[in-house]
Amino acid sequence: QKEVEQNSGPLSVPEGAIASLNCTYSDRVSQSFFWYRQYSGKSPELIMSIYSNGDKEDGRFTAQLNKASQYVSLLIRDSQPSDSATYLCAVLNTGGFKTIFGAGTRLFVKA
Amino acid sequence: DVKVTQSSRYLVKRTGEKVFLECVQDMDHENMFWYRQDPGLGLRLIYFSYDVKMKEKGDIPEGYSVSREKKERFSLILESASTNQTSMYLCASSPGLAGLNEQFFGPGTRLTVL
């Protein structure tokens, strides 16, 4: 079992819809969780971080964390073609120094 | 604005050559990382450093070494390049306790080993 698992996609949604990206992790005591966006040919950039159970909203983005289920998700409301990218889920391991990245989910937003 | 720069965007080397990849950050970050990114495998940590002259192995250190002589610079060395080291190499830095804060990535170096 991979430490951080994501559906590779591609996930295709129409413009204006909600895109839902999911991630599961294996380290039960992980405390820090991140979502990075990576455009094709570019390097990753952080869009959300979440540390406690529940929802965290930032503009059109909402991160959801459920530690009991070891599950993190990212919702993108009113999806735009410019949101088309690969989204990487990342989890800080219990040692506190290593961030484990998932392989990413490719999102396509159709105009 | 945090800036992480890498010495080359594209590099082509021959099997057996020694390869140096340089990374420089301008935000006085304590932590620096080297990853490689391959399709379907995501980002894999090669080495990281939390202080000058300090280094720690990541998940895939074999065939690589690193050097951090100055706080702003973290070098990745392929002692004898092999074809299975063809990949995208990404450097990142972060302030404070590693992982609790955002990692800022450089533009990447696409290395091809022939």
Side-chain angles (χ1 to χ4, degrees):
Chain A
Q1 182 191 4
K2 290 183 182 178
E3 293 179 82
V4 179
E5 293 209 57
Q6 298 180 254
N7 188 323
S8 62
L11 173 65
S12 184
V13 300
E15 184 175 358
I18 296 175
S20 178
L21 305 164
N22 305 313
C23 170
T24 58
Y25 60 94
S26 60
D27 186 347
R28 185 171 293 277
V29 297
S30 295
Q31 296 295 319
S32 304
F33 307 87
F34 309 90
W35 283 99
Y36 286 80
R37 178 177 62 200
Q38 186 174 23
Y39 291 114
S40 180
K42 301 292 185 183
S43 52
E45 56 179 339
L46 184 78
I47 51 172
M48 291 288 286
S49 58
I50 187 166
Y51 305 104
S52 55
N53 276 330
D55 294 1
K56 179 181 177 182
E57 188 174 315
D58 184 2
R60 295 187 296 112
F61 299 97
T62 299
Q64 299 175 316
L65 174 61
N66 183 326
K67 290 184 180 180
S69 301
Q70 295 172 243
Y71 181 90
V72 191
S73 64
L74 179 70
L75 301 178
I76 306 174
R77 289 181 300 282
D78 189 23
S79 295
Q80 301 298 309
S82 59
D83 294 326
S84 298
T86 297
Y87 289 80
L88 307 176
C89 174
V91 178
L92 175 67
N93 79 340
T94 49
F97 278 102
K98 286 168 52 176
T99 300
I100 310 299
F101 287 83
T105 299
R106 292 185 69 191
L107 172 67
F108 290 107
V109 181
K110 299 174 292 186
Chain B
D1 240 12
V2 175
K3 195 161 186 183
V4 180
T5 57
Q6 295 183 229
S7 50
S8 306
R9 290 301 307 273
Y10 300 94
L11 210 52
V12 180
K13 295 292 181 180
R14 298 207 173 271
T15 302
E17 282 192 80
K18 192 168 186 175
V19 181
F20 293 87
L21 302 181
E22 298 277 313
C23 175
V24 178
Q25 50 95 2
D26 66 0
M27 286 301 291
D28 201 36
H29 285 172
E30 288 81 3
N31 310 304
M32 297 188 75
F33 308 83
W34 274 106
Y35 296 91
R36 62 178 283 177
Q37 187 173 32
D38 301 289
L41 297 177
L43 284 162
R44 292 182 292 167
L45 183 64
I46 304 171
Y47 268 96
F48 65 97
S49 169
Y50 52 87
D51 202 353
V52 176
K53 297 193 185 294
M54 304 300 289
K55 59 185 179 184
E56 293 287 339
K57 292 180 179 179
D59 298 314
I60 51 165
E62 296 78 19
Y64 304 94
S65 61
V66 290
S67 172
R68 194 166 180 202
E69 296 296 317
K70 293 185 178 182
K71 191 174 185 179
E72 68 271 18
R73 189 179 297 269
F74 193 35
S75 302
L76 180 69
I77 302 145
L78 286 67
E79 296 291 343
S80 177
S82 63
T83 54
N84 62 14
Q85 292 178 310
T86 291
S87 186
M88 171 67 83
Y89 289 87
L90 289 161
C91 175
S93 71
S94 74
L97 282 173
L100 288 178
N101 292 305
E102 173 179 1
Q103 291 192 24
F104 294 86
F105 286 85
T109 295
R110 186 165 292 283
L111 172 67
T112 301
V113 182
L114 302 175

